[in-house]
Amino acid sequence: MIVYSVYIVSKSGGLIFNYDHTVSKVEVEQTFSYPLEFKLVNENKRVIVSFGQRDGIIVGHVLMSVNGISLTGQQLDDGKDVFEVLENSENYPVSLKFGRPKMTTNEKIFLASMFYPLFAIASQLSPEPKSSGIEILETDTFKLHCFQTLTGVKFMVVAEPTDIKLDVLLNRIYELYADYVLKNPFYSLEMPIRCELFDQNLQLLLEQVEKSGLANI
Amino acid sequence: MIRSYNAKMIYNLYIFDKTGKLLFYTEWNRFKQSGMSRNEEGKLMYGMLFSLKNFVTKISPYDMKQGFLCFKTNKYALHFMETPSGLKFVLNTDISAQKVREILQQLYNNVYVNYVTRNPIHNLQDSIKSELFKSKLNSFMKQTHIYLSK
């Protein structure tokens, strides 16, 4: 059982806790000859593939390094502009590393608050009366399990796609939240969770789940 | 209406085109209306799917192929299929229904393609009014393993 990440969203829809357990790395490094068969653009301070596809590099991947030199924005660490380097045929063959973009903290906050209305609309469009919001969201690469407490706090676990129900795990995380966050006198409700004990115990729990499954937690 | 709560059931079906227009809607069993016009409901549903797709591709740990497949609440399951041309099929069933994706695929291959795409007087941007499609859809759904009327 692989758990990718855990999110906790407060009742007003803000992200108050996030923990990435298994970090997936999708990176491809390859040597290219002139002309480059990709169209690259600078978007949100990252150089992104906007057209073209080859050997696992697809639209949306981010350029991470050129000849082993990493880049910030569109500037290489040795001061050159990445587009100028790639336009000049004398620089070829060139070794480029592409990868799936990592989520920034801002994106995580944005996504967590995006889940809130989706959850509400799912229950509004229900063909059955008194439906809850989204409990399980399935895709081909992961499954998101969501548990909402009576007070409206949402716990979300992103895990690999299996048929196993993660209710036990979500309940255990809730227990940890009650024990180490709510009972912490320095914690105020709705605020981001910064509790060392909670972090430690959550990590321990997830490691246990990874090793021996959900049977004995 | 008397019914057992554990019964297998198909609730309703939405078909959207690539621009988000509701092409077709039909329901077999529906116990709660959303309280808005069909058109408005279609827009809300499409908006939700659009955001869900966005959400899912961002939060995914790996690159996706098919993307969003389905979600479940405690009362129903929504199954989603998108064809390469951007046509979207949304089928609501009970939560115990299995292999609904295959049904959607068959629905597209055997019913939609035969009775909508191959209909010479039908314009693909228009909503589907063909009675033949409706009746074929109905009989197709009734022979699937997840269909059971109350």
Side-chain angles (χ1 to χ4, degrees), chain B residues 112-133:
Chain B
Y112 183 85
V113 171
N114 280 344
Y115 300 102
V116 178
T117 317
R118 291 187 180 158
N119 182 347
I121 53 165
H122 178 72
N123 187 346
L124 284 177
Q125 282 89 47
D126 295 343
S127 50
I128 302 162
K129 294 197 176 69
S130 155
E131 286 300 324
L132 184 62
F133 173 71

Side-chain angles (χ1 to χ4, degrees), chain A residues 4-5 7 22-26 56 58 61 100-101 103 107 110-112 114-115 117-118 121-144 156 158 163, chain B residues 3 5 9 11-12 14 29-34 36 41 44-52 54-76 92-93 98:
Chain A
Y4 294 112
S5 45
Y7 297 82
T22 311
V23 181
S24 55
K25 248 193 182 163
V26 183
I58 58 163
H61 276 186
R100 200 180 148 72
M103 267 202 287
E107 275 177 320
F110 164 75
L111 282 178
M114 193 167 148
F115 189 70
L118 295 173
I121 298 173
S123 105
Q124 196 188 348
L125 286 173
S126 165
E128 283 268 15
K130 296 193 186 109
S131 171
S132 71
I134 298 172
E135 285 184 345
I136 296 173
L137 181 68
E138 252 176 80
T139 72
D140 55 343
T141 51
F142 72 91
K143 227 169 161 178
L144 185 145
M156 293 192 272
V158 179
D163 283 336
Chain B
R3 65 198 177 100
Y5 267 91
M9 204 169 304
Y11 295 114
N12 47 9
Y14 300 79
N29 300 288
R30 188 166 182 172
F31 304 100
K32 179 190 157 244
Q33 296 297 331
S34 56
M36 54 184 106
E41 188 186 303
L44 187 62
M45 174 62 89
Y46 187 82
M48 177 177 73
L49 295 171
F50 186 86
S51 317
L52 262 176
N54 246 319
F55 175 79
V56 151
T57 38
K58 289 230 178 73
I59 212 167
S60 168
Y62 298 103
D63 295 318
M64 312 193 102
K65 290 201 176 67
Q66 297 162 296
F68 168 55
L69 303 175
C70 83
F71 73 68
K72 287 175 186 166
T73 74
N74 63 353
K75 287 282 164 68
Y76 78 109
N92 287 334
T93 67
Q98 299 280 320

Side-chain angles (χ1 to χ4, degrees), chain A residues 3 6 19 21 169 202-210:
Chain A
V3 175
V6 176
Y19 172 68
H21 188 62
L169 175 65
L202 182 68
Q203 202 178 341
L204 217 66
L205 174 69
L206 292 178
E207 271 161 20
Q208 204 186 342
V209 169
E210 204 165 49

Side-chain angles (χ1 to χ4, degrees), chain A residues 37-170:
Chain A
E37 57 226 87
F38 293 107
K39 173 93 183 96
L40 303 171
V41 288
N42 186 351
E43 202 179 287
N44 292 334
K45 293 179 187 161
R46 290 195 284 214
V47 179
I48 292 179
V49 180
S50 73
F51 178 80
Q53 182 168 3
R54 192 184 116 177
D55 305 318
I57 302 165
I58 58 163
V59 171
H61 276 186
V62 171
L63 180 63
M64 299 172 112
S65 70
V66 179
N67 290 329
I69 307 165
S70 52
L71 67 162
T72 34
Q74 64 175 64
Q75 196 176 31
L76 288 167
D77 285 355
D78 60 2
K80 288 181 196 145
D81 183 88
V82 70
F83 288 106
E84 278 167 24
V85 171
L86 293 179
E87 269 162 26
N88 190 347
S89 60
E90 283 164 21
N91 293 324
Y92 286 80
V94 68
S95 153
L96 302 176
K97 184 154 91 179
F98 290 93
R100 200 180 148 72
K102 283 209 183 64
M103 267 202 287
T104 60
T105 317
N106 263 338
E107 275 177 320
K108 281 176 186 160
I109 293 172
F110 164 75
L111 282 178
S113 46
M114 193 167 148
F115 189 70
Y116 188 85
L118 295 173
F119 190 88
I121 298 173
S123 105
Q124 196 188 348
L125 286 173
S126 165
E128 283 268 15
K130 296 193 186 109
S131 171
S132 71
I134 298 172
E135 285 184 345
I136 296 173
L137 181 68
E138 252 176 80
T139 72
D140 55 343
T141 51
F142 72 91
K143 227 169 161 178
L144 185 145
H145 303 253
C146 177
F147 166 66
Q148 181 170 241
T149 69
L150 288 173
T151 47
V153 181
K154 287 185 195 68
F155 294 87
M156 293 192 272
V157 169
V158 179
E160 62 173 333
T162 55
D163 283 336
I164 308 166
K165 279 211 158 194
L166 283 187
D167 298 9
V168 201
L169 175 65
L170 286 164

